[in-house]
Amino acid sequence: TAAARPSPDAARHDLLSHAVTARIAVPPDRFAAWFAAAPLERLLPGTADLPGVTGTAPLGSLPFPEPGARRLVCLADGGTALEEVLAHLPGQRLAYMVWDYSTPAARPIEYGMGEFRFAAEAGGTRVDWRYAFALRQDRFPGSLGALGRGLFRLAFLDTRYARFMAAGMAAIEREALAAAR
């Protein structure tokens, strides 16, 4: 039934975002091939505040990361989320949407939009990762409008989620370097 669930309308403009960047000493062509096949559970270990990924299960026949491919993402706290690839330009960009979070930390979130951008830089690959959230308007803090978005940024996005992204980027770098040896 998860494969049939519609993705949210992503036309909102009140998304709250955070970004991290790393320069990884792996040539772009090798990095791109590795990244497209890397298991998500190796890349998102989680933090003390937010659960990591323990596995994924494809939903439908499209292979990840082909645009339109969907998968169920399983989390260390027993929660899940749905993920769909929105765009994939090998070695340049991967954009995706995540929704239907069941983990308690994500109760106020309607959906998330993630994007990785890759570029050649100084004998390696620059990886830019941006993640943005749309809050549910019927739950705190989203029900407070701009004030709630500010609270969400302070209490979650620029703190707990920033640490989660930093841990993820460190894992990406560690795994990419190990695979390149």
Side-chain angles (χ1 to χ4, degrees):
T1 60
R5 281 191 209 135
S7 57
D9 175 15
R12 293 186 38 193
H13 300 285
D14 60 349
L15 300 179
L16 298 161
S17 67
H18 186 79
V20 293
T21 298
R23 285 155 186 83
I24 300 174
V26 176
D29 57 335
R30 289 178 64 197
F31 181 86
W34 167 82
F35 187 81
L40 192 59
E41 58 270 22
R42 301 285 304 194
L43 308 183
L44 295 178
T47 63
D49 294 323
L50 296 173
V53 172
T54 58
T56 61
L59 300 172
S61 60
L62 290 175
F64 193 89
E66 187 174 320
R70 285 185 172 191
R71 61 187 177 182
L72 179 70
V73 178
C74 301
L75 304 173
D77 68 353
T80 60
L82 297 178
E83 179 183 38
E84 181 175 343
V85 177
L86 302 174
H88 182 230
L89 298 170
Q92 298 176 36
R93 177 177 182 245
L94 173 65
Y96 57 96
M97 174 185 274
V98 181
W99 74 100
D100 206 22
Y101 300 92
S102 69
T103 187
R107 280 192 185 110
I109 298 169
E110 183 178 346
Y111 64 87
M113 304 277 296
E115 180 180 50
F116 284 94
R117 290 197 175 257
F118 313 104
E121 186 172 281
T125 304
R126 186 182 75 237
V127 180
D128 296 308
W129 181 22
R130 176 174 301 280
Y131 205 92
F133 291 106
L135 297 180
R136 293 178 53 125
Q137 303 300 304
D138 62 343
R139 289 194 181 160
F140 177 83
S143 59
L144 298 178
L147 173 61
R149 288 189 302 277
L151 291 172
F152 180 80
R153 178 173 291 288
L154 289 172
F156 183 80
L157 187 60
D158 290 344
T159 53
R160 298 183 328 163
Y161 205 76
R163 289 189 295 270
F164 179 84
M165 288 180 73
M169 190 64 89
I172 290 169
E173 182 171 16
R174 182 178 59 252
E175 294 288 327
L177 291 171
R181 290 188 185 121

